[in-house]
Amino acid sequence: MPVTVRSFAKINLGLGIGALRADGFHELRTVYQTIALHDVIRVSVGRGSGIEIRCEDSRVPKDESNTCYRIVELALSALKARGRVVIEIEKQLPVQGGLGGASANAVAALLALERALKRELSGTERLRIAAEVGSDLPLFLVGGTVLGVGRGEEVYPLPDLPAIACVVATPEIGVSTPKAFADWDLGVAAGSQSPGKLTSHPASDRMDEFGRVLSAWLGGHSQSKHKQDKHKSGRASSGVPVSKGRGRAETPLLDLVRTGIENDFEQVVFPKYPELREVKRVLVRAGAVYASLSGSGSATYGLFASREAAEKAAARLRKQGVLATATTTLTRPQYWKKIFD
């Protein structure tokens, strides 16, 4: 019997691009957030040897270049296990969409393989293998709201943002992440000679600024929680009246938005794909508390104060011919419960 698991997507709440590293990757800072959109992965282990990938989507590679193939190959070696592994991928997430679909698929395949074999890797070994396969993979071994540093593979759980309504728009555009990075490097090089084009700030300064922004949010997040504890009296410990109009989910999110967190990829992707900039504008006009490109795109999302508002925004985009879905973000407990549910 195959083991079936859900493979949830992610969005990026801000993404700062730093200097090019000696290993060819860029230094990154980002806040990952898991969401309820997902693929379905089925893994079975039988007699024989080898790894087979099955998927009806022709854009998904079926050979060893597939992240599922690579992570299962490494896991089998680490577990000293044998057998013929068949991985079925039921795609619902876009390919090259910026939602981490292939990375999420790989982690789901790893978790399903462990269940099929009735063996488990240590948490440290899981993270090591995941990081070896790809930068986005380790976040899916944490879930919820996650800080990503290094090339994005070094992950730390952050205080979860409460679940909030989300619209994910997936225009039929394939944005190449390597090309987006190359465009960023060209823009930075030009910007160093022409102030105002992209950014003239040194890469190290950008990473430091992202860290300050995040620290400010974390400090404000803990203060907001303290204010909520004082909600019954209607006053914070300082004696300042507390607004009763902001919802539990909206408060920490607004705190994050006020820090000015943004996705650097928008500076190079939007000029090449103005239709993506327009999708973001539609989401903002529809009342999104925050809207952004996810990763290098093309998926663009908006976070909304209510499911009703999200549904209306998604409908507005669909009328304009853009595929859009209303969903929700997932906290860490929700993420782990729903993977195997």
Side-chain angles (χ1 to χ4, degrees):
M1 286 290 292
V3 175
T4 302
V5 298
R6 288 190 176 98
S7 170
F8 290 105
K10 61 82 181 171
I11 54 177
N12 295 82
L13 302 175
L15 192 157
I17 305 173
L20 187 64
R21 303 168 9 151
D23 60 7
F25 292 94
H26 286 76
E27 192 71 19
L28 298 179
R29 298 288 185 274
T30 189
V31 176
Y32 299 114
Q33 175 64 57
T34 48
I35 62 174
L37 297 184
H38 65 275
D39 291 335
V40 176
I41 306 296
R42 298 179 183 88
V43 173
S44 58
V45 181
R47 292 182 179 180
S49 62
I51 300 169
E52 180 184 355
I53 306 289
R54 297 175 182 173
C55 183
E56 293 184 359
D57 192 320
S58 60
R59 297 169 299 173
V60 175
K62 314 294 192 302
D63 58 15
E64 57 271 16
S65 66
N66 188 295
T67 53
C68 294
Y69 188 109
R70 289 156 58 199
I71 202 167
V72 164
E73 186 176 45
L74 290 171
L76 287 171
S77 176
L79 290 166
K80 296 180 172 55
R82 294 181 180 180
R84 178 171 179 77
V85 180
V86 177
I87 307 166
E88 299 177 60
I89 306 172
E90 185 181 316
K91 288 300 292 182
Q92 299 173 31
L93 300 174
V95 176
Q96 281 192 322
L99 297 175
S103 299
N105 289 171
V107 169
L110 172 62
L111 297 174
L113 177 70
E114 289 184 339
R115 286 210 167 188
L117 293 172
K118 296 182 172 59
R119 301 188 198 178
E120 286 189 4
L121 295 164
S122 68
T124 301
E125 188 71 352
R126 280 180 183 171
L127 285 167
R128 183 195 66 77
I129 291 173
E132 184 175 337
V133 175
S135 300
D136 278 357
L137 272 70
L139 86 93
F140 294 106
L141 289 169
V142 180
T145 309
V146 183
L147 172 64
V149 300
R151 55 182 168 85
E153 90 292 358
E154 190 177 336
V155 290
Y156 303 93
L158 292 173
D160 259 335
L161 286 169
I164 189 169
C166 178
V167 172
V168 177
T170 51
E172 292 184 359
I173 297 170
V175 178
S176 166
T177 299
K179 183 65 168 62
F181 273 120
D183 290 342
W184 174 266
D185 290 337
L186 285 173
V188 169
S192 64
Q193 301 174 10
S194 306
K197 186 174 183 180
L198 277 186
T199 175
S200 59
H201 299 297
S204 58
D205 288 351
R206 296 186 63 75
M207 296 296 93
D208 290 344
E209 177 61 22
F210 195 97
R212 285 191 290 270
V213 163
L214 190 61
S215 295
W217 172 65
L218 289 172
H221 184 51
S222 62
Q223 290 176 15
S224 293
K225 186 176 185 305
H226 183 63
K227 287 180 181 180
Q228 288 171 11
D229 292 340
K230 298 286 185 179
H231 191 73
K232 289 183 180 179
S233 66
R235 289 181 179 273
S237 56
S238 63
V240 177
V242 177
S243 169
K244 297 182 180 181
R246 290 164 64 186
R248 188 173 68 89
E250 191 178 0
T251 301
L253 177 61
L254 288 179
D255 289 341
L256 181 59
V257 171
R258 289 192 182 97
T259 66
I261 198 166
E262 59 184 17
N263 184 342
D264 282 346
F265 274 123
E266 292 184 358
Q267 297 185 49
V268 291
V269 172
F270 281 173
K272 287 201 166 187
Y273 303 99
E275 53 268 57
L276 298 181
R277 179 189 283 117
E278 180 57 27
V279 168
K280 179 177 177 178
R281 285 175 178 163
V282 171
L283 289 167
V284 171
R285 287 196 296 265
V289 177
Y290 181 74
S292 173
L293 197 67
S294 182
S296 60
S298 61
T300 307
Y301 69 88
L303 303 177
F304 289 81
S306 71
R307 179 76 184 201
E308 181 183 10
E311 294 281 6
K312 288 181 179 179
R316 183 180 300 184
L317 283 167
R318 288 194 294 269
K319 283 183 179 179
Q320 296 181 14
V322 178
L323 182 62
T325 305
T327 183
T328 183
T329 62
L330 292 177
T331 63
R332 199 162 299 116
Q334 289 172 334
Y335 174 79
W336 284 104
K337 180 180 183 297
K338 290 176 180 292
I339 281 179
F340 297 109
D341 189 0

